Protein backbone atom coordinates (compact mmCIF):
# COMPACT_ATOMS: atom_id res chain seq x y z
CA UNK A 1 0.00 0.00 0.00
CA UNK A 2 0.82 3.71 -0.07
CA UNK A 3 2.02 3.90 -3.64
CA UNK A 4 2.72 7.15 -5.45
CA UNK A 5 2.96 7.08 -9.20
CA UNK A 6 4.89 9.83 -10.93
CA UNK A 7 4.84 10.33 -14.70
CA UNK A 8 6.66 10.67 -16.90
CA UNK A 9 9.85 9.14 -15.51
CA UNK A 10 11.87 11.11 -18.01
CA UNK A 11 11.13 13.76 -20.58
CA UNK A 12 13.10 15.75 -23.12
CA UNK A 13 11.62 18.97 -24.36
CA UNK A 14 12.65 21.92 -26.46
CA UNK A 15 13.46 25.23 -24.91
CA UNK A 16 10.39 27.44 -24.65
CA UNK A 17 7.86 24.64 -24.38
CA UNK A 18 5.94 23.54 -21.29
CA UNK A 19 6.07 20.19 -19.57
CA UNK A 20 3.56 18.68 -17.17
CA UNK A 21 4.53 16.14 -14.52
CA UNK A 22 1.85 14.13 -12.73
CA UNK A 23 1.92 12.76 -9.23
CA UNK A 24 -0.81 10.33 -8.22
CA UNK A 25 -1.46 8.56 -4.97
CA UNK A 26 -2.81 5.21 -6.09
CA UNK A 27 -4.26 3.70 -2.95
CA UNK A 28 -4.66 6.50 -0.46
CA UNK A 29 -5.86 10.05 -0.23
CA UNK A 30 -3.10 12.59 -0.04
CA UNK A 31 -4.01 15.65 1.93
CA UNK A 32 -0.75 17.29 1.06
CA UNK A 33 1.72 16.80 -1.74
CA UNK A 34 5.21 18.20 -1.97
CA UNK A 35 7.34 18.91 -4.98
CA UNK A 36 11.11 18.74 -4.79
CA UNK A 37 13.93 19.47 -7.15
CA UNK A 38 17.19 17.59 -6.92
CA UNK A 39 20.41 18.61 -8.61
CA UNK A 40 23.02 15.96 -9.37
CA UNK A 41 24.60 14.53 -6.26
CA UNK A 42 22.74 16.96 -4.05
CA UNK A 43 19.92 16.83 -1.57
CA UNK A 44 16.29 17.52 -2.25
CA UNK A 45 15.18 21.11 -2.41
CA UNK A 46 11.55 21.69 -1.52
CA UNK A 47 9.87 23.77 -4.20
CA UNK A 48 6.29 23.93 -3.02
CA UNK A 49 3.60 22.40 -0.88
CA UNK A 50 0.19 21.76 -2.37
CA UNK A 51 -3.04 21.03 -0.57
CA UNK A 52 -6.09 19.73 -2.34
CA UNK A 53 -8.36 22.48 -3.51
CA UNK A 54 -6.13 25.37 -2.53
CA UNK A 55 -3.24 27.30 -3.98
CA UNK A 56 0.21 25.90 -3.61
CA UNK A 57 2.64 27.43 -1.17
CA UNK A 58 5.98 28.08 -2.80
CA UNK A 59 9.32 28.20 -1.08
CA UNK A 60 11.33 31.35 -1.20
CA UNK A 61 13.12 31.79 -4.49
CA UNK A 62 10.87 29.47 -6.48
CA UNK A 63 9.11 31.21 -9.37
CA UNK A 64 5.39 30.65 -9.13
CA UNK A 65 4.80 31.50 -12.76
CA UNK A 66 7.54 29.17 -13.90
CA UNK A 67 6.45 26.17 -11.85
CA UNK A 68 2.69 25.87 -11.84
CA UNK A 69 1.26 23.44 -9.33
CA UNK A 70 -2.29 22.16 -9.34
CA UNK A 71 -3.76 19.83 -6.73
CA UNK A 72 -7.18 19.22 -8.16
CA UNK A 73 -8.08 16.13 -6.17
CA UNK A 74 -6.95 14.15 -3.17
CA UNK A 75 -5.06 11.79 -5.44
CA UNK A 76 -3.54 14.01 -8.10
CA UNK A 77 -1.12 16.89 -8.15
CA UNK A 78 0.59 18.24 -11.23
CA UNK A 79 3.69 20.34 -11.76
CA UNK A 80 3.93 22.27 -15.00
CA UNK A 81 7.26 23.75 -15.98
CA UNK A 82 6.33 26.63 -18.23
CA UNK A 83 8.55 28.06 -20.96
CA UNK A 84 11.25 25.62 -20.00
CA UNK A 85 14.90 26.53 -20.38
CA UNK A 86 18.03 24.41 -20.10
CA UNK A 87 18.60 25.61 -16.54
CA UNK A 88 15.29 23.97 -15.59
CA UNK A 89 16.80 20.59 -16.41
CA UNK A 90 16.77 18.61 -13.20
CA UNK A 91 15.29 15.67 -11.34
CA UNK A 92 11.85 16.46 -9.93
CA UNK A 93 10.32 14.34 -7.19
CA UNK A 94 6.90 14.48 -5.59
CA UNK A 95 5.81 13.11 -2.27
CA UNK A 96 2.39 12.62 -0.77
CA UNK A 97 1.35 12.80 2.85
CA UNK A 98 -1.26 10.42 4.10
CA UNK A 99 -3.94 11.87 6.28
CA UNK A 100 -3.72 8.95 8.67
CA UNK A 101 -0.15 9.33 9.78
CA UNK A 102 3.02 11.20 9.16
CA UNK A 103 4.38 8.80 6.63
CA UNK A 104 5.28 10.27 3.31
CA UNK A 105 5.51 8.30 0.11
CA UNK A 106 7.74 9.51 -2.68
CA UNK A 107 7.26 9.16 -6.38
CA UNK A 108 10.03 7.66 -8.46
CA UNK A 109 10.99 11.02 -9.89
CA UNK A 110 11.04 12.68 -13.30
CA UNK A 111 14.23 13.49 -15.15
CA UNK A 112 13.62 16.65 -17.18
CA UNK A 113 16.07 17.62 -19.89
CA UNK A 114 15.51 20.84 -21.78
CA UNK A 115 17.40 21.16 -25.04
CA UNK B 1 17.62 27.44 13.03
CA UNK B 2 16.28 24.05 12.03
CA UNK B 3 18.78 21.90 10.21
CA UNK B 4 19.97 18.39 9.57
CA UNK B 5 23.63 17.58 9.18
CA UNK B 6 25.09 14.48 7.67
CA UNK B 7 28.82 14.91 8.21
CA UNK B 8 29.92 12.17 5.82
CA UNK B 9 29.40 12.90 2.14
CA UNK B 10 30.87 9.59 1.04
CA UNK B 11 31.40 6.34 2.89
CA UNK B 12 32.98 3.18 1.52
CA UNK B 13 32.68 -0.15 3.29
CA UNK B 14 33.42 -3.72 2.36
CA UNK B 15 30.56 -6.12 1.88
CA UNK B 16 29.81 -7.85 5.16
CA UNK B 17 31.23 -5.04 7.25
CA UNK B 18 29.17 -3.02 9.67
CA UNK B 19 27.88 0.43 8.79
CA UNK B 20 27.03 3.56 10.67
CA UNK B 21 25.78 6.72 8.98
CA UNK B 22 25.72 9.81 11.10
CA UNK B 23 22.93 12.34 11.38
CA UNK B 24 22.70 15.34 13.67
CA UNK B 25 19.74 17.65 13.85
CA UNK B 26 18.84 21.02 15.22
CA UNK B 27 15.17 21.41 15.90
CA UNK B 28 13.28 23.44 18.46
CA UNK B 29 10.50 20.99 19.23
CA UNK B 30 10.15 17.24 19.53
CA UNK B 31 11.77 15.89 16.39
CA UNK B 32 10.13 13.44 14.05
CA UNK B 33 13.09 11.74 12.43
CA UNK B 34 13.42 9.72 9.27
CA UNK B 35 15.97 7.87 7.20
CA UNK B 36 15.40 7.44 3.47
CA UNK B 37 17.40 5.64 0.81
CA UNK B 38 17.63 6.66 -2.83
CA UNK B 39 18.96 4.49 -5.62
CA UNK B 40 20.28 6.30 -8.71
CA UNK B 41 17.52 7.89 -10.75
CA UNK B 42 14.86 6.81 -8.30
CA UNK B 43 12.64 8.34 -5.68
CA UNK B 44 13.14 7.93 -1.95
CA UNK B 45 12.22 4.87 0.07
CA UNK B 46 11.55 5.10 3.77
CA UNK B 47 13.91 2.95 5.83
CA UNK B 48 12.65 3.85 9.29
CA UNK B 49 11.20 6.63 11.40
CA UNK B 50 11.18 7.77 14.98
CA UNK B 51 8.36 9.68 16.60
CA UNK B 52 8.49 8.66 20.25
CA UNK B 53 8.98 5.70 22.55
CA UNK B 54 11.83 3.24 22.24
CA UNK B 55 14.86 5.15 21.06
CA UNK B 56 16.15 2.22 19.05
CA UNK B 57 14.01 1.75 15.98
CA UNK B 58 14.10 -1.07 13.51
CA UNK B 59 13.55 -0.54 9.83
CA UNK B 60 13.47 -2.41 6.61
CA UNK B 61 16.40 -4.18 4.98
CA UNK B 62 18.05 -4.86 8.33
CA UNK B 63 18.64 -1.21 9.21
CA UNK B 64 18.21 0.30 12.64
CA UNK B 65 18.68 3.75 14.08
CA UNK B 66 19.12 5.11 17.55
CA UNK B 67 17.74 8.42 18.73
CA UNK B 68 19.95 10.18 21.25
CA UNK B 69 18.37 13.37 22.45
CA UNK B 70 21.39 14.46 24.45
CA UNK B 71 23.53 14.33 21.33
CA UNK B 72 20.83 15.49 18.90
CA UNK B 73 21.67 12.49 16.80
CA UNK B 74 19.84 9.81 14.89
CA UNK B 75 22.50 7.53 13.45
CA UNK B 76 21.67 4.74 11.06
CA UNK B 77 23.31 1.34 11.47
CA UNK B 78 23.48 -2.02 9.81
CA UNK B 79 25.50 -4.93 11.17
CA UNK B 80 26.42 -6.44 7.80
CA UNK B 81 26.28 -4.50 4.56
CA UNK B 82 25.23 -6.07 1.30
CA UNK B 83 26.35 -4.88 -2.13
CA UNK B 84 22.75 -3.88 -2.86
CA UNK B 85 22.89 -1.32 -0.06
CA UNK B 86 25.01 0.97 -2.22
CA UNK B 87 22.90 4.11 -2.60
CA UNK B 88 22.36 7.61 -1.27
CA UNK B 89 21.01 7.90 2.25
CA UNK B 90 19.13 10.92 3.53
CA UNK B 91 18.28 11.81 7.09
CA UNK B 92 15.31 14.12 7.60
CA UNK B 93 13.42 15.82 10.37
CA UNK B 94 9.74 16.51 9.95
CA UNK B 95 8.00 19.67 11.06
CA UNK B 96 5.03 17.93 12.66
CA UNK B 97 2.56 19.23 13.41
CA UNK B 98 2.79 22.47 11.58
CA UNK B 99 3.99 22.80 8.03
CA UNK B 100 4.54 19.06 7.69
CA UNK B 101 7.66 19.81 5.69
CA UNK B 102 10.77 17.74 5.75
CA UNK B 103 14.17 19.20 6.35
CA UNK B 104 16.64 16.95 4.57
CA UNK B 105 20.28 16.45 5.25
CA UNK B 106 22.69 16.68 2.36
CA UNK B 107 22.92 12.93 2.04
CA UNK B 108 25.62 10.28 2.39
CA UNK B 109 26.63 8.26 -0.62
CA UNK B 110 27.46 4.68 0.32
CA UNK B 111 29.79 2.59 -1.79
CA UNK B 112 30.14 -1.11 -1.08
CA UNK B 113 33.27 -3.00 -2.06
CA UNK B 114 32.95 -6.62 -3.04
Amino acid sequence: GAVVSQHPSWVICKSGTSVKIECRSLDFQATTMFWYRQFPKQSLMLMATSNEGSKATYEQGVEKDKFLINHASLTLSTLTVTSAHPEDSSFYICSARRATDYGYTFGSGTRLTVV
Amino acid sequence: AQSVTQPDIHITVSEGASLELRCNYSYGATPYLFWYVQSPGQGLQLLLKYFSGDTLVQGIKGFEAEFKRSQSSFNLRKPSVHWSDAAEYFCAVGAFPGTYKYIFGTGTRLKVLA
Side-chain angles (χ1 to χ4, degrees), chain A residues 4-7 21-25 33-35 75-79 93-96 105-107:
Chain A
V4 171
S5 174
Q6 185 173 342
H7 291 283
I21 302 170
E22 289 191 349
C23 181
R24 291 180 183 272
S25 57
M33 288 187 174
F34 300 88
W35 287 94
T75 60
L76 174 64
S77 177
T78 60
L79 166 67
I93 305 175
C94 70
S95 72
T105 303
F106 284 80

Side-chain angles (χ1 to χ4, degrees), chain B residues 73-93:
Chain B
S73 69
F74 188 57
N75 294 347
L76 182 71
R77 300 193 294 248
K78 186 170 185 177
S80 179
V81 172
H82 189 263
W83 64 266
S84 60
D85 293 324
E88 186 90 19
Y89 291 80
F90 291 97
C91 180
V93 62

Side-chain angles (χ1 to χ4, degrees), chain B residues 1-102:
Chain B
Q2 302 170 355
S3 65
V4 176
T5 302
Q6 293 180 245
D8 305 305
I9 298 175
H10 297 279
I11 282 187
T12 300
V13 299
S14 297
E15 190 171 19
S18 63
L19 172 71
E20 181 170 33
L21 302 182
R22 296 183 291 166
C23 173
N24 293 96
Y25 67 90
S26 174
Y27 193 69
T30 301
Y32 288 69
L33 297 160
F34 305 81
W35 273 100
Y36 283 88
V37 60
Q38 183 182 34
S39 297
Q42 298 294 314
L44 277 67
Q45 181 183 22
L46 178 66
L47 288 176
L48 46 78
K49 59 188 177 185
Y50 171 79
F51 292 166
S52 65
D54 192 347
T55 56
L56 183 64
V57 293
Q58 302 297 320
I60 63 171
K61 304 184 179 185
F63 286 93
E64 66 177 27
E66 186 171 14
F67 170 62
K68 293 185 178 180
R69 184 185 297 276
S70 61
Q71 298 177 20
S72 296
S73 69
F74 188 57
N75 294 347
L76 182 71
R77 300 193 294 248
K78 186 170 185 177
S80 179
V81 172
H82 189 263
W83 64 266
S84 60
D85 293 324
E88 186 90 19
Y89 291 80
F90 291 97
C91 180
V93 62
F96 310 138
T99 64
Y100 295 98
K101 296 178 183 178
Y102 276 160

